[in-house]
Amino acid sequence: MSTLRFALADGMTIAKRNAIKIKRAPDLLGGVVILPIVFVLLFAYVFGSMIDLPGLSYREYMIPGIFVQTIVMSAQITGYTLTLDLQKGIFDRFRTLPMAPSAVLTGQTLSDLITNLTSIVVMALVGLAVGWRIHTSPHEAVLGFVLLLLFAYAFSWVTAAVALALRKPEVFNNLATIVSMPLVFLSNAFVDSARLPGPLRAVAEWNPVSTIIQAARELFGNTGSAMPVPDAWPLQNAVTASLLWSALLLIVFVPLSTRLYKRAVSQ
Amino acid sequence: MPPAITAEGLVKKYGDTVALDGMDLSVPEGTVFGLLGPNGAGKTTTVRILTTLLRPDAGRAAVAGFDVVADADRLRAHIGVSGQYAAVDDHLTGAENLEMVGRLYHLGAKRSRRRARELLERFDLTDAADRPVQGYSGGMRRRLDLAGALVADPPVLFLDEPTTGLDPRARTTLWDVVAELVAGGTTVLLTTQYLEEADRLAETIAVVDHGRVIALGTADQLKDRIGGDRIQVTVESAVDLETVRRTLAPLAIGDVQTDAVASQVTIPVVNGAAALTAALGRLAAEGVVVRDAGLRRPTLDEVFLTLTGHHTVEHTKESVR
Ligand SMILES: Nc1ncnc2c1ncn2[C@@H]1O[C@H](COP(=O)(O)OP(=O)(O)OP(=O)(O)O)[C@@H](O)[C@H]1O
Ligand SMILES: [Mg+2]
């Protein structure tokens, strides 16, 4: 019982340390606040004014996609800082202290959750300013944000696992870019996946990012008859599929990250 | 009273490199124990095993009554560690670093804050307390790291080359801190490459080479084993070297060494001060012009040469992979 209390307290201590780190590092803070603003404005104005859809504002259609894009892209930053931390001595200090070993990762993912929440709030506000609207009930809207945060939380465990497996900052950065680009762009974030050629279309329709975006669009009411939902099961049942995806990622990557953490610091 | 630290037959291999090859230690409670050895001897590996950072391949060790492998989780509450490389967080200030360590020792918010301020003061870091560590000098980081080891007032303290990178003043502070802690009952294991430092701080010294203890004793015992003090005489003219050598040979208890480049002769002696007086008298009688003469302690290299038959430098070369 007191073990659990200490584990939580230790996780909070580490989360606080990460929060201070982000506050002091302008590049990290930029990733949390500036990047989301730039994404919303850039995509809303550059692409949003180029393409027009009958019966649906493309700008509104796009904003949920930008939410998820930002979650995926900023995870790259936190994963990168984890690999940098691993190279420094502070982890040796942690390991000689009577702290819960899980605290490093729970603290890291907790601070990720806070930065993701901040980013999403920033993006929602900027989105509202450029014409994005929620057309659903408050219940659904809240569920939409919760779903995004849940996915973000699960995704930061994925990032942690990859960072711990690769450990070298450059290697991590290269791989993260190679993976996150197709993850975001081979999805329904900016295009109607139905218009993609055969194999790409299958990839886009089964891409978890598409699922989350579709769920967010439904829960915020940013859908329209101009873009019918494809027949793929995860898109037809986007909210359920999003919950399943998040649960699956957590079930696989929480224990995996924990194992990789132990391995990474025992060398 | 059982020893605070015991190690039996510790073995650690890295691929083909044998870092520890049957390391045995026993450190009584409330004493300072020095691990003395050249680069690559296995000092850091020993400390990392005793502080639960590494698992030994064979052998066992216990600290404060806890097995370092089986009871690692419980052991950590009883030790303080300052490793060879400062384990501090660059992004946090000095005060935030120590507070975080206090929180992770579960001291609570108030005690952690108070303890952090005390230690910053003790290690002369009060002025830098609220600056991010990123901007600290090497010696300041080292001092902060040492402070980190003391946060919880642990009964057993591990310091790996604690004075490396410290200025003379900080070095004295550390020596004082260690003396105070030991007077209060703390057990300290420290490593060093300098015999003088081990001499100054440690009651018992273990000389380590190739991953095992090759000599054990007090500083005096070790020095006696390797021939006590050295007289070093520098002459004006190299032509006198042979005369010096011949004149002082009767005082020597071991090999006399002649260094033609430095015009220097080194003679191992017992009863250093008396021997030096005698030596100067003999040289004056021979009419040799002496530029400099003095007593000095054996260097680590000489300890090694005597104990192992090889120099520390050779050893370093072969241990670099
Ligand atoms: N992570 C590692 N991987 C491979 N070899 C290692 C590793 N750590 C230590 N060694 C090897 O183990 C041996 C002992 O190293 P150790 O760091 O314990 O020596 P040391 O006595 O602390 O030396 P120094 O005075 O340089 O700090 C060396 O030969 C070293 O090359
Ligand atoms: Mg070392």
Side-chain angles (χ1 to χ4, degrees):
Chain A
M1 188 201 78
S2 78
T3 319
L4 182 65
R5 216 191 48 187
F6 281 141
L8 289 176
D10 293 348
M12 292 296 288
T13 304
I14 300 294
K16 188 177 153 201
R17 171 248 172 192
N18 284 3
I20 295 175
K21 184 174 98 174
I22 293 166
K23 202 177 70 188
R24 294 238 168 89
D27 49 331
L28 295 181
L29 201 58
V32 178
V33 180
I34 314 287
L35 189 74
I37 295 177
V38 170
F39 275 175
V40 173
L41 294 180
L42 192 74
F43 284 83
Y45 281 100
V46 175
F47 299 107
S49 45
M50 246 168 32
I51 311 161
D52 253 326
L53 301 167
L56 169 71
S57 144
Y58 182 63
R59 202 173 281 174
E60 285 200 37
Y61 175 78
M62 235 174 32
I63 298 278
I66 296 170
F67 285 173
V68 179
Q69 178 195 23
T70 306
I71 289 169
V72 172
M73 298 280 184
S74 66
Q76 194 171 338
I77 302 174
T78 59
Y80 179 66
T81 61
L82 182 60
T83 58
L84 287 180
D85 274 354
L86 278 173
Q87 301 201 317
K88 300 196 177 128
I90 188 63
F91 275 76
D92 271 358
R93 168 68 69 204
F94 288 157
R95 291 182 52 239
T96 61
L97 296 175
M99 64 188 278
S102 65
V104 168
L105 290 175
T106 51
Q108 168 87 27
T109 51
L110 186 63
S111 65
D112 285 357
L113 186 65
I114 294 163
T115 56
N116 273 311
L117 177 63
T118 313
S119 297
I120 289 176
V121 169
V122 168
M123 286 188 291
L125 293 176
V126 179
L128 288 171
V130 299
W132 174 64
R133 292 291 176 270
I134 297 174
H135 303 284
T136 47
S137 69
H139 280 98
E140 284 171 296
V142 168
L143 183 60
F145 285 114
V146 169
L147 208 79
L148 286 173
L149 280 175
L150 179 67
F151 174 72
Y153 186 70
F155 198 71
S156 62
W157 282 96
V158 179
T159 315
V162 177
L164 289 164
L166 299 176
R167 272 179 282 164
K168 293 208 172 67
E170 322 78 57
V171 180
F172 174 83
N173 241 3
N174 291 338
L175 188 86
T177 309
I178 293 171
V179 174
S180 65
M181 283 295 180
L183 205 56
V184 170
F185 290 102
L186 274 183
S187 76
N188 58 4
F190 305 110
V191 294
D192 181 358
S193 57
R195 291 194 204 165
L196 292 171
L200 286 186
R201 179 174 154 190
V203 171
E205 285 178 355
W206 286 84
N207 181 348
V209 167
S210 300
T211 306
I212 311 295
I213 293 172
Q214 178 63 31
R217 280 184 185 139
E218 284 174 14
L219 290 168
F220 296 138
N222 304 129
T223 52
S225 51
M227 285 214 188
V229 181
D231 278 339
W233 185 87
L235 297 181
Q236 285 292 332
N237 305 278
V239 175
T240 314
S242 297
L243 291 171
L244 287 175
W245 264 120
S246 300
L248 181 71
L249 294 182
L250 287 171
I251 289 168
V252 173
F253 286 95
V254 171
L256 184 64
S257 306
T258 310
R259 276 243 302 282
L260 287 168
Y261 172 72
K262 285 194 183 130
R263 199 197 68 181
V265 293
S266 68
Q267 299 189 345
Chain B
M1 211 157 39
I5 304 170
T6 55
E8 283 165 38
L10 291 181
V11 174
K12 182 73 197 177
K13 295 194 181 96
Y14 292 102
D16 289 340
T17 314
V18 181
L20 292 186
D21 186 16
M23 173 72 73
D24 298 312
L25 295 174
S26 175
V27 182
E29 209 177 300
T31 65
V32 186
F33 188 90
L35 279 185
L36 175 72
N39 292 146
K43 304 181 296 292
T44 298
T45 307
T46 305
V47 169
R48 289 178 70 88
I49 288 174
L50 295 176
T51 56
T52 77
L53 287 169
L54 268 185
R55 274 163 175 265
D57 296 331
R60 46 199 194 123
V63 175
F66 299 99
D67 187 279
V68 296
V69 176
D71 291 327
D73 289 341
R74 282 194 294 159
L75 166 60
R76 294 192 189 104
H78 303 267
I79 55 173
V81 187
S82 175
Q84 183 163 4
Y85 305 102
V88 293
D89 198 327
D90 279 341
H91 307 284
L92 304 189
T93 65
E96 286 165 349
N97 259 284
L98 295 182
E99 275 173 43
M100 175 176 73
V101 171
R103 295 307 295 265
L104 295 173
Y105 269 114
H106 307 130
L107 296 187
K110 234 172 83 188
R111 255 180 83 198
S112 299
R113 209 169 312 132
R114 202 184 53 218
R115 190 74 184 125
R117 293 290 155 185
E118 270 168 29
L119 287 165
L120 288 164
E121 167 104 53
R122 189 74 179 91
F123 285 93
D124 263 326
L125 288 168
T126 304
D127 290 344
D130 298 315
R131 288 203 330 245
V133 169
Q134 220 139 33
Y136 278 25
S137 73
M140 288 162 76
R141 298 166 77 88
R142 183 82 235 189
R143 268 139 60 197
L144 184 65
D145 192 60
L146 289 163
L150 303 181
V151 166
D153 255 324
V156 185
L157 201 57
F158 294 88
L159 308 174
D160 195 357
E161 299 196 22
T163 57
T164 303
L166 293 188
D167 63 23
R169 181 180 148 145
R171 189 171 297 218
T172 312
T173 303
L174 179 75
W175 287 352
D176 292 347
V177 168
V178 169
E180 278 166 31
L181 288 171
V182 172
T186 305
T187 308
V188 181
L189 182 144
L190 56 85
T191 76
T192 176
Q193 305 194 23
Y194 306 105
L195 183 58
E196 284 145 61
E197 182 164 284
D199 190 359
R200 163 85 195 245
L201 286 175
E203 281 140 73
T204 312
I205 299 169
V207 182
V208 182
D209 188 32
H210 288 304
R212 55 162 55 156
V213 176
I214 57 166
L216 183 76
T218 64
D220 285 341
Q221 284 166 347
L222 287 177
K223 266 183 262 163
D224 286 348
R225 263 187 77 175
I226 59 172
D229 294 325
R230 301 283 185 274
I231 291 177
Q232 202 160 43
V233 176
T234 311
V235 291
E236 279 297 339
S237 152
V239 293
D240 287 335
L241 282 175
E242 191 41 42
T243 321
V244 175
R245 195 188 152 80
R246 190 169 24 79
T247 316
L248 300 187
L251 298 174
I253 56 158
D255 287 344
V256 176
Q257 282 169 358
T258 310
D259 180 344
V261 180
S263 298
Q264 213 169 52
V265 179
T266 305
I267 306 111
V269 295
V270 281
N271 285 333
L276 180 61
T277 316
L280 290 176
R282 285 173 189 229
L283 291 176
E286 289 287 328
V288 175
V289 183
V290 174
R291 196 203 305 163
D292 189 30
L295 262 187
R296 67 165 177 76
R297 295 269 161 78
T299 62
L300 181 58
D301 197 43
E302 285 162 340
V303 174
F304 264 81
L305 191 57
T306 315
L307 291 173
T308 67
H310 65 79
H311 286 276
T312 54
V313 183
E314 283 167 16
H315 179 92
T316 306
K317 270 187 204 137
E318 82 193 30
S319 72
V320 170
R321 287 148 302 138

